[in-house]
Amino acid sequence: MSGHDQQYGGDPGRSHVVAEKGSRPAVHGVVAQKDILKHREGRESQAADQHGVYEELATGFAPQRFGREVEKQETLEKIEDNALHITTSDGRLEAFSETPIRKTLAKFIDDTSAIDVDAIVSQLKYELYEGITANDIQRALIMVVRSMIERDPAYSKLACKLLLDRMYREVFGKNFDRENPTKAQAEVFARNIRAAVTRGDLDMRMAEFDLEKLGASLVLSNDTLFEYMGLEIMSSRYCMEDVETKKQLETPQMLWMRTAMGLALNEKPEDRERVVMEFYEVLSNFYYTPGGRTLFQAGAKKAQLSNCFLNVVPDALDGIFKSFSDNSQYLKWSGGTGTSWSKVRATGAHIKGTGVGSQGIVPFLKIANDVNLAINRSGKRRGAGCVYLETWHLDIEDFLELRKNTGDERRRTHDINTANWIPDLFMKRVRDGGEWTMFSPSDVPDLTEIYGAAFDKAYEEYEAKADRGEIKLWKRVPASDLWKKMLAMLFETGHPWITWKDPSNIRSPQDHVGVVHNSNLCTEITLNTSDDETAVCTIGSLNFAKFIVDGKFDHPLIERVTRTSIRMLDNVIDLNFYPTPDAERGNTRHRPVGLGVRGYHDALYALDINFDTPEAVEFASDSMEVMAYYTILASSVLAKERGTYSTYKGSKWDRGIFPQDTIELLAKERGEPIELEHSGKLDWTPVREHVKQHGMRNSNTTAIAPTASTANLVGCIPCVEPIYKNIYVKSNKEGDFVVVNKYLIEDLKKHNLWNLGML
C-alpha cells in the first residue's frame, strides 16, 4: 500500500474503482448533523439497535431503512473482525484499519481538547462499505467532521484542513511536500496558468508575467484563515478546474493570485507585477473581496467581471424583445439583471399600428420570467433578475400579484424578483389620507423621466386632465389601500420589494446626464439607464472584521486597503467583456463602481458593542464616514493619474456637491425637513480640494454591496446585517452548512459554560 493510500487520502486524479459487484457507489448521502453520535461498543448494543429496526419493520415502517441498518451492522461486524476491505489507488483490496485515520486527524489537530477523535472514528465506520476507495474514505471523513461543526468551531477548522489537504493533493499531486511547498507551488502555478492560456481559457497576457516568481510568492499559511464553509464554496464554485476531468487546478492562494493578475492586466508593464502583489496581499488576507463574477472570470479570455446589469424597456415591440435578448446575454455571462418596465403601455391602451388594445406588461413579464429560468449563469448559478414598475402604472395591481401561489398561472412569475419604484408623492398621499391615480405610460410618457417637485407638478396636472375627461384610461383608489396591498403582498410572497425613485435620482451624482429608472436584483445600484445605455454594477466589499486592530477601527489600514480596492474596481471597467454595446457604452462613459461592507457585526463583536445600541449607531456613522472619505479620495487620486470619467463635467462632483450635501437637496425637493445628522467628524476640506483640482475617476464609489457568498467565503457575517441566529443551517448549491456564533462560544468557554447541554 502506498503512503498516500495509508492515509486514506485516495488518488484524486483517478476514477473510483469498484471492488465487488453490487457494492454501493461512493459515500452515501449526507452524514446526520445532530448530536446523536453513539459510541456503540460491543455487539450487545448493536443487537439492541437492530432489534428496534426489526420491530419497526414488523409494524410496516421503512423497509429501505431496515436494509440500510442491516448493511451498517454487517459493515461494523466486518470492521471488528478485520474483514472489511478498501480499494487502493491501483485497484488492489486491502484490509481496513482505523490507524491511518487517527494519524491523519492527529496531524491536523492543534488543540485536541476540543476534538473528540473517538467520536469521529466511530461515526466514520457507519459511512464505510466493502470495497470503498481510499479517496472516498477521505471524502467521508471530511463529511463526518463537517457534521460536528455545531459542537465547536474547532471542527470547522479541522474539516477545513482536511479539505485543504485534499485540494493540495489534487492540484500538486500525491507527493506534495507540505513542509517545503514553495518550489512545488511555483512550478504547478506556472504550469497551470500556461496550460490554461494555451487552451484559450485565459487571456494571453496572463502568460507574460513572471509566473514562477509569482507562484513562489504565494503565502500558503493564509489558507488557515478559511472556515470550512468558505473553503468548500471556493473549491466547488470559484477555483479553475479541468473541463474534461473536473480535476481542480487551483488552491486558494492560486485563485487569489490569478484574480490579482487578471485585474492588473491593464497596468503599465513596469508596474504590473508590483501591483499584482499589492492586489494579492489585500485579497489573500481577506481585507477585500471582489464580487463573485470577478472571482469566476478574472484573467479569462472573455472576462465578464461585473455582477449586474440594469436596463429600461421602451414602449415598442422590437425594444421589448431586444430587452429579452440583451438580458439573456447578461445572464449567459454570469450577470444578474434589473429591468424597468414602467414605460410599457398598460392593459387596454390603444395600439395605433394594429388598432387593438394592449394586453399590458404581464404577458411580457411571463416571457422575462422564462428567459431568466432558462439560462444558467456561466454554469455556476441559476439565472437571477428583477423587474421594476412605478406605482402610478395602471398595471400595478396585477404586478403586485405576480409572485402569488394562487390564481391564473399564466399571470404568475415565480422565478423572477419584482420591485416597486415608488415616488415620494405616493407616500405623502398615504400619510395624508389622499387618493392615488394610475395611468398608462402611453398617456403620461414624461412621468418616467422626471422626479421630485417636477414629477409632483406633472402628476397633478395629469390627474386634472383625467378629471376633465382628457385622459380616458385611468383608475383612482385610496393611496392607503394600495399601500396596504403592497405590504400584504410583501408579507405573503416577499415581493414586490420597496424601492424609492426620488431619493435615488435627487441624490444621484449623474443627474445632469440621465435618470435612474430602477435598481437591480440586490437593490444596491442606483445608476442611469436609457434606451441605448445599460448600467453595469462593478462591486466588491471591505471586511470590517479585519479592520479592528488592538480594539480600535484602524484608519490607516482602511485608507491603504481602500486605495487598492478602488484601483481594482476601476481596472474592471477597462478589462471587462461587455455582452452588449449598450452595457459597454453606459459603463465606460460614467465608470461607476461600488465598494461595500461585510463583517460589520463581526467588528461590533470585536469592539464589544451590542448591535441594538446607540454605540452601534455611532460606530456605523463613524466607520461609514471613514470609508466614504477614503473611497472618494482614492477615486480622485486615480483621476489625477488616469483622468476623469467622460461625463464628469456638470456632475455633482464637478459642482462641489458631495453625497452628504445631497440630503439638503432632497429636503428641498420634498418641501419637508429631514431629521438626519450629516455633518460628520472628519475634516473633509482636503478631499474636497483634491476633487476640485483633479476631479473623479468614477461617477459612483460606494454601494450597500450584497455579500452573502463572499462573506461566507471569508467567514464573516454578511453586509451590515446582524448574525441571523446563534446556530442555524445555511443552504446553498454546495449543500447544507451548520453555522454557529463563534463569538458566543468563545465567551461561553471563558466561563466554562460550553458543553453539549448548552449546545
Side-chain angles (χ1 to χ4, degrees):
M1 179 186 284
S2 69
H4 189 72
D5 290 324
Q6 287 175 353
Q7 303 224 354
Y8 296 138
D11 185 352
R14 296 178 61 91
S15 59
H16 302 331
V17 179
V18 179
E20 293 183 356
K21 183 177 180 180
S23 62
R24 290 175 296 161
V27 180
H28 53 282
V30 177
V31 180
Q33 293 190 8
K34 49 190 176 181
D35 198 357
I36 59 170
L37 305 177
K38 300 178 181 178
H39 299 270
R40 294 170 175 158
E41 300 177 0
R43 300 280 178 83
E44 291 183 2
S45 62
Q46 294 172 6
D49 288 340
Q50 187 167 322
H51 176 70
V53 176
Y54 275 113
E55 287 187 332
E56 189 176 64
L57 181 62
T59 57
F61 290 111
Q64 289 183 347
R65 177 188 162 185
F66 168 74
R68 289 194 298 268
E69 289 293 331
V70 170
E71 279 188 28
K72 289 182 179 181
Q73 296 306 321
E74 291 174 350
T75 298
L76 292 175
E77 291 176 7
K78 279 190 172 185
I79 292 173
E80 189 168 315
D81 295 337
N82 200 32
L84 184 78
H85 296 88
I86 68 166
T87 304
T88 65
S89 59
D90 57 5
R92 292 180 294 108
L93 293 179
E94 292 193 358
F96 167 78
S97 169
E98 66 181 55
T99 301
I101 303 294
R102 292 183 178 273
K103 287 182 177 179
T104 296
L105 292 173
K107 182 170 66 174
F108 295 119
I109 294 174
D110 298 325
D111 180 10
T112 57
S113 62
I115 301 293
D116 189 339
V117 174
D118 290 336
I120 294 172
V121 174
S122 177
Q123 179 63 15
L124 177 65
K125 292 177 182 178
Y126 283 84
E127 304 306 314
L128 305 180
Y129 54 89
E130 179 63 29
I132 187 173
T133 65
N135 193 29
D136 282 341
I137 291 178
Q138 188 189 39
R139 290 177 183 272
L141 180 61
I142 294 172
M143 294 297 289
V144 167
V145 177
R146 164 181 169 165
S147 74
M148 298 180 175
I149 288 174
E150 64 186 31
R151 293 181 168 202
D152 194 284
Y155 285 94
S156 177
K157 287 296 185 182
L158 176 57
C160 185
K161 291 175 182 177
L162 291 169
L163 180 56
L164 276 171
D165 187 57
R166 179 176 180 79
M167 292 174 71
Y168 294 157
R169 294 183 185 200
E170 189 162 330
V171 174
F172 294 118
K174 64 177 71 174
N175 297 319
F176 174 59
D177 183 2
R178 291 175 58 99
E179 303 302 321
N180 186 24
T182 304
K183 183 179 179 181
Q185 284 191 127
E187 291 176 353
V188 174
F189 177 74
R191 181 191 68 204
N192 287 351
I193 292 292
R194 291 193 180 104
V197 170
T198 301
R199 289 194 307 270
D201 295 338
L202 293 182
D203 190 301
M204 291 180 62
R205 292 172 291 176
M206 294 287 281
E208 295 174 2
F209 292 95
D210 186 339
L211 297 175
E212 283 78 11
K213 178 181 177 182
L214 293 179
S217 301
L218 299 176
V219 184
L220 196 65
S221 60
N222 280 354
D223 285 347
T224 61
L225 297 175
F226 283 96
E227 300 291 340
Y228 173 73
M229 178 168 61
L231 187 65
E232 179 66 49
I233 290 172
M234 174 174 277
S235 173
S236 64
R237 191 180 300 183
Y238 297 114
C239 289
M240 286 197 307
E241 64 181 17
D242 186 291
V243 176
E244 294 182 358
T245 67
K246 301 303 179 183
K247 180 180 178 181
Q248 196 154 306
L249 300 176
E250 288 182 315
T251 65
Q253 298 311 308
M254 290 179 179
L255 180 142
W256 293 135
M257 183 61 80
R258 188 251 304 166
T259 303
M261 292 162 57
L263 295 180
L265 290 174
N266 63 334
E267 296 284 347
K268 296 176 182 177
E270 62 270 22
D271 296 333
R272 193 175 293 167
E273 291 189 2
R274 175 188 59 80
V275 173
V276 166
M277 290 309 302
E278 183 181 326
F279 289 177
Y280 171 76
E281 193 265 339
V282 301
L283 293 169
S284 177
N285 285 288
F286 291 4
Y287 292 128
Y288 164 82
T289 308
R293 308 309 166 278
T294 304
L295 295 177
F296 286 150
Q297 304 260 346
K301 189 174 183 179
K302 284 187 175 180
Q304 197 299 99
L305 305 171
S306 294
N307 270 43
C308 285
F309 298 83
L310 278 70
N311 51 14
V312 58
V313 181
D315 187 29
L317 196 60
D318 57 347
I320 291 172
F321 277 85
K322 177 180 179 295
S323 75
F324 296 148
S325 175
D326 287 353
N327 283 357
S328 67
Q329 289 296 321
Y330 302 142
L331 291 166
K332 170 186 174 181
W333 291 99
S334 79
T337 63
T339 304
S340 171
W341 285 81
S342 299
K343 290 185 177 183
V344 178
R345 69 190 61 199
T347 304
H350 184 67
I351 302 174
K352 290 182 180 179
T354 58
V356 299
S358 168
Q359 295 188 71
I361 65 169
V362 172
F364 293 118
L365 294 181
K366 185 69 174 176
I367 298 173
N369 177 86
D370 294 342
V371 168
N372 191 76
L373 184 63
I375 300 176
N376 192 341
R377 290 183 287 170
S378 287
K380 300 290 186 177
R381 292 178 174 179
R382 60 179 292 186
C386 186
V387 292
Y388 284 72
L389 194 69
E390 293 202 35
T391 314
W392 51 262
H393 196 289
L394 191 59
D395 287 341
I396 187 67
E397 291 177 297
D398 289 333
F399 182 79
L400 297 180
E401 296 184 345
L402 285 172
R403 292 293 296 257
K404 287 185 68 174
N405 290 318
T406 58
D408 187 351
E409 279 298 305
R410 291 170 297 181
R411 300 183 68 81
R412 297 291 178 263
T413 58
H414 300 297
D415 300 292
I416 201 166
N417 300 297
T418 58
N420 290 299
W421 194 239
I422 303 173
D424 285 351
L425 181 61
F426 174 72
M427 298 310 300
K428 290 179 180 178
R429 296 276 181 94
V430 172
R431 180 192 62 190
D432 300 336
E435 294 189 311
W436 187 249
T437 309
M438 294 165 282
F439 302 96
S440 172
S442 53
D443 293 326
V444 293
D446 58 330
L447 289 188
T448 60
E449 302 303 312
I450 54 179
Y451 49 87
F455 174 89
D456 296 356
K457 183 174 183 294
Y459 181 83
E460 290 169 354
E461 289 175 354
Y462 284 126
E463 285 187 308
K465 284 186 176 183
D467 291 337
R468 293 194 300 267
E470 297 173 20
I471 296 177
K472 303 299 183 182
L473 190 63
W474 58 279
K475 181 180 180 180
R476 187 168 293 161
V477 298
S480 60
D481 287 356
L482 185 57
W483 177 241
K484 288 174 184 176
K485 187 170 184 178
M486 288 180 177
L487 297 182
M489 288 297 100
L490 190 63
F491 181 81
E492 180 180 335
T493 70
H495 294 82
W497 303 328
I498 305 296
T499 57
W500 310 107
K501 174 182 179 177
D502 287 340
S504 298
N505 277 283
I506 294 165
R507 302 191 67 189
S508 168
Q510 294 297 96
D511 58 340
H512 64 307
V513 288
V515 175
V516 182
H517 293 101
N518 57 297
S519 187
N520 66 319
L521 79 115
C522 299
T523 68
E524 83 275 14
I525 316 169
T526 51
L527 302 174
N528 295 352
T529 56
S530 66
D531 290 352
D532 65 350
E533 271 194 15
T534 291
V536 181
C537 166
T538 302
I539 59 172
S541 54
L542 301 182
N543 182 3
F544 270 26
K546 301 291 289 185
F547 294 107
I548 308 302
V549 181
D550 296 329
K552 294 181 180 179
F553 193 58
D554 193 326
H555 290 205
L557 184 59
I558 281 279
E559 179 182 12
R560 178 174 69 83
V561 174
T562 297
R563 182 177 64 247
T564 302
S565 303
I566 290 294
R567 190 177 194 93
M568 278 193 267
L569 288 167
D570 187 66
N571 284 359
V572 165
I573 296 169
D574 297 315
L575 294 167
N576 223 4
F577 166 75
Y578 293 97
T580 69
D582 291 356
E584 183 171 15
R585 186 180 302 113
N587 210 35
T588 55
R589 286 187 72 204
H590 315 301
R591 305 188 68 86
V593 298
L595 186 62
V597 174
R598 54 198 156 82
Y600 172 75
H601 200 173
D602 295 88
L604 292 182
Y605 278 125
L607 294 170
D608 198 25
I609 297 175
N610 289 342
F611 198 95
D612 56 345
T613 61
E615 291 79 10
V617 175
E618 183 178 7
F619 174 71
S621 178
D622 294 348
S623 60
M624 300 304 165
E625 183 184 6
V626 170
M627 183 176 167
Y629 186 99
Y630 290 120
T631 302
I632 294 169
L633 181 59
S635 182
S636 187
V637 169
L638 268 182
K640 180 180 179 181
E641 175 188 341
R642 297 175 170 178
T644 63
Y645 64 94
S646 63
T647 56
Y648 172 77
K649 195 67 176 176
S651 68
K652 280 190 171 70
W653 301 112
D654 184 44
R655 285 148 35 209
I657 302 172
F658 276 39
Q660 58 266 46
D661 306 326
T662 61
I663 297 173
E664 290 300 328
L665 295 180
L666 181 59
K668 182 179 179 181
E669 289 284 333
R670 286 180 176 174
E672 301 178 3
I674 297 176
E675 301 296 332
L676 179 64
E677 175 60 44
H678 54 277
S679 59
K681 295 182 179 180
L682 301 178
D683 178 9
W684 282 79
T685 303
V687 180
R688 290 181 183 274
E689 287 299 319
H690 200 284
V691 172
K692 184 177 181 180
Q693 183 175 357
H694 302 289
M696 291 285 287
R697 180 65 174 168
N698 313 98
S699 64
N700 299 64
T701 58
T702 52
I704 305 178
T707 65
S709 295
T710 55
N712 291 332
L713 190 68
V714 299
C716 66
I717 300 166
C719 199
V720 293
E721 301 167 9
I723 194 169
Y724 172 66
K725 284 183 177 180
N726 285 322
I727 182 170
Y728 62 96
V729 175
K730 167 75 176 180
S731 298
N732 55 28
K733 69 182 290 289
E734 285 74 30
D736 295 339
F737 298 87
V738 175
V739 181
V740 186
N741 186 344
K742 59 187 177 183
Y743 303 101
L744 172 62
I745 294 177
E746 288 173 7
D747 285 347
L748 289 171
K749 283 183 175 180
K750 291 176 184 177
H751 297 281
N752 199 29
L753 292 172
W754 181 242
N755 50 48
L756 289 179
M758 180 62 74
L759 171 60

